Amino acid sequence: MAFKVLVCAKQVPNTNEIKINPETGTLIRDGVESILNHDDANALEEALALKDKYDDVEVIVVSMGPPQAKDMLLECLAKGADEAILLSDRAVGGSDTWATSNAVTAAIKHYGEFDMIFAGRQAIDGDTAQVGPQIAEKLDLPQVTYVQKFEISEDRKTVTVQRQLEDGYEVIEVPVPCMLTAIKELNTPRYMSIGGIFDAKNKPLHVWSAADVAVDLNTVGLKASPTNVFRSFTPKPKEPGVKIEGDSETDLAKNLLIKLKGKHVI
Amino acid sequence: MAIKILKDKCIGCGICFKSCPADAFEFEAYDGNKLGKVAKINAKCTFCNQCLTACKFGAIEEEKIEVADDLDDYKHVWVYAEQRDGKLMNVALELIGEGYRLAKEISEDTQVCAVLVGDGIDHLAEECFAYGAEKVYMIQDPLLKNFTTDGYAKVLVDACYEYKPEIVIYGATHIGRDLAPRVAARMNTGLTADCTRLDVRVSSYIEYADKNTTLDTSTLDPNDPSTGIKQTRPAFGGNLMATIICPRTRPQMSTVRPGVMQKREKVEGATGEIVNVKPAITEADIRTKIVEIVKSAKELVSLTDADIICSGGRGLGDPSGFELIKEFADKVGGVVGSSRAAVDAGWIDHSHQVGQTGTTVKPKIYFACGISGAIQHLAGMQTSDIIVAINKDPDAPIFEVADYGIVGDLYKVIPEIIAEWDNAEALYDASTK
């Protein structure tokens, strides 16, 4: 029996590249590339490292998103994953984290038995960090979030992880199967190899619909989501700042301090 | 909430297209108007509602949400008062302050209640009362001594079912962000992460939005009596703000970033009702085992409490630049912050990082030294009272948010600021003569 490691991954816009159109106040997404979410790359890397260590490990990447997310899954396959699953359906569009976790859980259940799940702590577009724990809840798995170090016991029945805290870390022992969410401190993700890119095209990449995974349609999508967007807007641009002038560094420093003193902040 | 286009009102002008950040508008043929076309919303729609005020002809409408009718059973505002090692987290006190404000906006008799989970933590109730809590739910058991997802989620879910709070807010700490999604998922209710603003009254929301945002509030009714929570949070790395509601399920839940809400004035000796909740918890409920808890030896950086922050970025050139930043911070009575670039380069510990994935800060003065100003960094510091940017590159984005900008070599400018710091008053007096 293979030791199956699932990795939950999301394709996200590279938010570093997003700019605001100063005239309309809207986001400019044209030409913004889609990437494998950062923390998910760490989740995948840890699964692949396990595969490097044990011959019988299979790595299966699971995602939900539009059909274009196949590109990101191909990248995961090129890095060394064995199989990829994309749940893609209009019926799951507009899902909040609760509904997303229902949909992904259905896909995982449809896939079948597994031994472990890695997910990224959070995605850079929404930053919620909720979907990983919520999938764990729906699958009734123990979870550890903010994992910065991972070890598996010899019999592969327990894992010992370091969970990052603001002021240190905890060492936690958890039985498999479990859900672990990865942060960037966990590892350094590998790059795709040329051979890997070539092989990826021959690896299974399933695209499943909501009907394929038999998810209850009352638990997914916009209408089923307990949270909805009420309004959204761009932050208010600040008043233009003042450039401090001066002929020397001393003058610059003095003129700055005069301004700060004038504002009564020092 | 879904958006609909009223075909009989749409004139096919396409002005709404510009309002859409997701490029989700297109035309479809329609023979009921002069241009022979109307706007249509395609699958790219992210339901952000930004188009609502774009149409001058009233052709864009939001579909009304059905509100469940058994929501009135849920009352009061709960604050998950996170403690570690018998000490309350600062964010717990901030949230009690915020919870108090929300409770009183809902109604006079709505209370803010602190929920304490742990073991041997009776002494913390007093502190919660002093900062404004009107009631404390005390959930104690030796099995709850340290945080575990399984243990804490179980007792909190049980308490929520029993006492039915209307709102539950948690600090968006590494613990709050682990616990809250689990509780919300088990109760099949909504949770909104990392909020930076909460409102219950539409009128307060309008006031906030008019003052601080670009939102056109003309479609909102200030006399709307509803008190569902409106949770505002950054998305897309701070490029977009979204206000999220949770109209059909209770409790409504949010995690709130530490450092953004206001504590109330401490009232020594304040008291309130303590409800001792007997948790139904056994060892078998907790599947994880804490082997040890390691406090990092590194100095604790309290960025959230700092009045002045001196932050360094990649422009420092090398790790030794933080020696100058430290000297600067020591001189001005501030703490050292950093950009993600400097942390990623290994120049300084993550605990100093300001920004989307680091700490959100709101000091009186934020000195950004050699920081270019990536949007993720700006998201964590742009509400600082005064931002001073020192950078060689006059085109660095940091200057767009800076109140005062110095284009120059930080290694030459900062020593001069340090040297002149104590003379500020005299310099100011001389300048006003």
Side-chain angles (χ1 to χ4, degrees):
Chain A
M1 254 289 272
F3 188 86
K4 295 188 175 186
V5 181
L6 302 188
V7 176
C8 299
K10 184 179 185 186
Q11 189 183 44
V12 293
N14 189 348
T15 53
N16 282 324
E17 293 182 1
I18 293 180
K19 299 249 161 25
I20 293 171
N21 179 336
E23 279 167 33
T24 60
T26 55
L27 299 184
I28 304 170
R29 294 207 218 189
D30 288 347
V32 174
E33 58 168 353
S34 290
I35 55 171
L36 167 63
N37 178 50
H38 298 164
D39 287 346
D40 303 350
N42 297 104
L44 174 64
E45 177 57 36
E46 207 58 31
L48 294 176
L50 210 54
K51 185 176 162 68
D52 292 342
K53 196 169 161 192
Y54 299 100
D55 290 340
D56 65 337
V57 168
E58 278 178 26
V59 175
I60 304 97
V61 184
V62 185
S63 188
M64 175 174 127
Q68 302 88 291
K70 275 195 283 191
D71 296 345
M72 175 274 290
L73 289 173
L74 274 170
E75 182 186 332
C76 296
L77 292 171
K79 285 182 172 184
D82 299 287
E83 194 174 345
I85 294 163
L86 175 64
L87 176 61
S88 191
D89 199 310
R90 284 293 299 276
V92 298
S95 289
D96 71 353
T97 62
W98 179 83
T100 300
S101 67
N102 289 331
V104 176
T105 299
I108 290 172
K109 284 184 172 162
H110 182 67
Y111 172 77
E113 299 279 307
F114 60 88
D115 296 279
M116 280 201 58
I117 307 183
F118 283 105
R121 170 198 47 172
Q122 65 190 36
I124 57 170
D125 54 350
D127 284 314
T128 72
Q130 287 172 192
V131 174
Q134 298 199 322
I135 292 170
E137 174 64 28
K138 306 287 169 184
L139 290 169
D140 194 21
L141 295 178
Q143 77 189 37
V144 184
T145 53
Y146 291 86
V147 171
Q148 61 176 15
K149 193 161 184 273
F150 168 85
E151 273 170 40
I152 192 157
S153 65
E154 255 173 41
D155 62 3
R156 294 191 296 191
K157 295 258 195 287
T158 21
V159 298
T160 305
V161 298
Q162 280 186 12
R163 165 173 149 76
Q164 187 191 65
L165 291 173
E166 289 85 344
D167 56 352
Y169 61 88
E170 296 170 304
V171 180
I172 296 177
E173 226 175 70
V174 54
V176 298
C178 57
M179 160 72 78
L180 304 178
T181 77
I183 56 175
K184 69 173 194 294
E185 285 78 3
L186 182 60
N187 53 43
T188 307
R190 67 192 64 188
Y191 291 102
M192 295 181 277
S193 66
I194 301 290
I197 293 170
F198 187 76
D199 291 345
K201 297 191 175 76
N202 299 319
K203 290 179 178 174
L205 196 173
H206 316 283
V207 180
W208 289 342
S209 68
D212 289 335
V213 303
V215 65
D216 178 354
L217 292 177
N218 294 315
T219 65
V220 294
L222 179 71
K223 291 235 158 99
S225 294
T227 62
N228 300 114
V229 177
F230 177 61
R231 289 291 185 277
S232 68
F233 47 87
T234 46
K236 200 172 206 164
K238 269 184 88 151
E239 301 278 303
V242 176
K243 186 181 173 199
I244 304 289
E245 305 285 354
D247 294 332
S248 66
E249 276 81 19
T250 315
D251 281 355
L252 288 170
K254 284 181 176 172
N255 290 335
L256 171 67
L257 291 173
I258 289 165
K259 293 283 188 199
L260 294 178
K261 200 73 200 174
K263 284 271 183 188
H264 307 289
V265 289
I266 60 173
Chain B
M1 282 176 289
I3 302 287
K4 59 182 177 188
I5 308 265
L6 306 176
K7 287 188 181 176
D8 56 327
K9 289 191 177 167
C10 178
I11 63 157
C13 69
I15 285 175
C16 50
F17 286 37
K18 280 189 192 160
S19 71
C20 181
D23 200 17
F25 279 103
E26 55 190 43
F27 284 118
E28 66 176 328
Y30 180 70
D31 53 14
N33 62 33
K34 272 187 201 160
L35 293 171
K37 58 185 180 178
V38 288
K40 179 188 164 194
I41 295 172
N42 66 29
K44 290 182 189 166
C45 176
T46 60
F47 315 100
C48 76
N49 285 3
Q50 288 202 56
C51 55
L52 276 181
T53 51
C55 182
K56 305 299 167 226
F57 306 96
I60 299 180
E61 239 185 38
E62 57 185 316
E63 273 182 39
K64 291 282 170 251
I65 308 171
E66 286 171 41
V67 175
D69 50 9
D70 56 348
L71 301 180
D72 288 348
D73 297 346
Y74 293 84
K75 286 196 167 54
H76 306 302
V77 177
W78 280 18
V79 172
Y80 172 67
E82 182 182 334
Q83 59 87 22
R84 295 185 195 178
D85 226 0
K87 288 190 202 71
L88 276 176
M89 299 290 282
N90 216 3
V91 66
L93 303 176
E94 294 165 9
L95 294 189
I96 290 170
E98 177 66 8
Y100 187 92
R101 188 182 71 82
L102 295 174
K104 299 309 155 194
E105 270 199 20
I106 293 170
S107 70
E108 281 277 303
D109 59 355
T110 301
Q111 292 183 316
V112 57
C113 313
V115 184
L116 281 159
V117 184
D119 188 42
I121 50 165
D122 289 300
H123 60 285
L124 296 179
E126 199 181 311
E127 203 177 345
C128 292
F129 292 135
Y131 281 93
E134 292 161 285
K135 191 186 263 188
V136 166
Y137 289 94
M138 189 65 86
I139 309 178
Q140 298 191 83
D141 191 283
L143 291 170
L144 300 172
K145 173 122 186 79
N146 291 310
F147 171 77
T148 57
T149 313
D150 285 338
Y152 278 46
K154 176 161 199 313
V155 300
L156 204 52
V157 167
D158 287 348
C160 283
Y161 278 130
E162 183 166 354
Y163 298 99
K164 295 188 171 23
E166 185 172 355
I167 293 172
V168 183
I169 50 182
Y170 312 72
T173 63
H174 290 203
I175 283 177
R177 299 177 95 224
D178 183 279
L179 172 65
R182 203 81 201 208
V183 173
R186 198 167 306 171
M187 299 190 74
N188 294 312
T189 190
L191 170 67
T192 303
D194 289 5
C195 301
T196 53
R197 168 81 197 181
L198 300 173
D199 290 287
V200 289
R201 290 273 167 204
V202 176
S203 52
S204 310
Y205 179 72
I206 292 173
E207 197 181 309
Y208 152 75
D210 285 347
K211 200 171 154 207
N212 301 291
T213 78
T214 55
L215 180 67
D216 178 348
T217 53
S218 61
T219 55
L220 298 171
D221 174 10
N223 298 316
D224 188 331
S226 64
T227 54
I229 198 164
K230 290 144 202 78
Q231 309 157 104
T232 303
R233 68 182 304 269
F236 287 103
N239 284 296
L240 188 68
M241 301 294 289
T243 302
I244 312 289
I245 52 173
C246 179
R248 294 176 301 272
T249 56
R250 292 292 180 270
Q252 309 165 93
M253 298 192 178
S254 337
T255 65
V256 176
R257 292 213 109 181
V260 298
M261 298 302 179
Q262 292 290 318
K263 273 186 232 176
R264 285 175 67 77
E265 203 70 43
K266 186 174 185 182
V267 180
E268 296 285 357
T271 57
E273 186 190 347
I274 296 178
V275 179
N276 283 300
V277 181
K278 184 71 206 136
I281 185 99
T282 65
E283 239 167 276
D285 293 324
I286 301 170
R287 292 167 287 185
T288 54
K289 188 174 134 202
I290 300 173
V291 181
E292 66 174 320
I293 299 175
V294 181
K295 296 269 176 211
S296 60
K298 69 198 174 203
E299 61 180 307
L300 273 183
V301 191
S302 188
L303 286 166
T304 49
D305 295 332
D307 278 341
I308 299 181
I309 294 174
C310 303
S311 260
R314 202 188 280 285
L316 293 177
D318 64 70
S320 67
F322 276 101
E323 287 164 23
L324 176 63
I325 300 296
K326 178 82 171 75
E327 193 190 329
F328 186 21
D330 287 347
K331 180 70 209 177
V332 304
V335 286
V336 175
S338 80
S339 69
R340 176 168 177 162
V343 172
D344 285 350
W347 296 351
I348 191 160
D349 189 80
H350 171 79
S351 56
H352 293 268
Q353 186 179 318
V354 170
Q356 185 83 0
T357 50
T359 309
T360 304
V361 298
K362 196 179 179 307
K364 290 201 176 76
I365 313 178
Y366 188 90
F367 288 99
C369 314
I371 290 177
S372 64
I375 191 81
Q376 285 83 354
H377 188 75
L378 303 184
M381 47 64 81
Q382 60 191 354
T383 59
S384 303
D385 292 351
I386 299 276
I387 297 169
V388 180
I390 305 168
N391 206 302
K392 263 192 220 164
D393 174 9
D395 297 322
I398 190 77
F399 287 119
E400 286 166 29
V401 301
D403 297 279
Y404 300 110
I406 293 181
V407 178
D409 179 352
L410 65 95
Y411 284 102
K412 290 183 180 149
V413 175
I414 294 174
E416 294 297 333
I417 299 174
I418 294 172
E420 298 293 337
W421 187 261
D422 292 331
N423 303 328
E425 183 137 22
L427 289 166
Y428 178 71
D429 288 347
S431 75
T432 53
K433 272 183 189 141

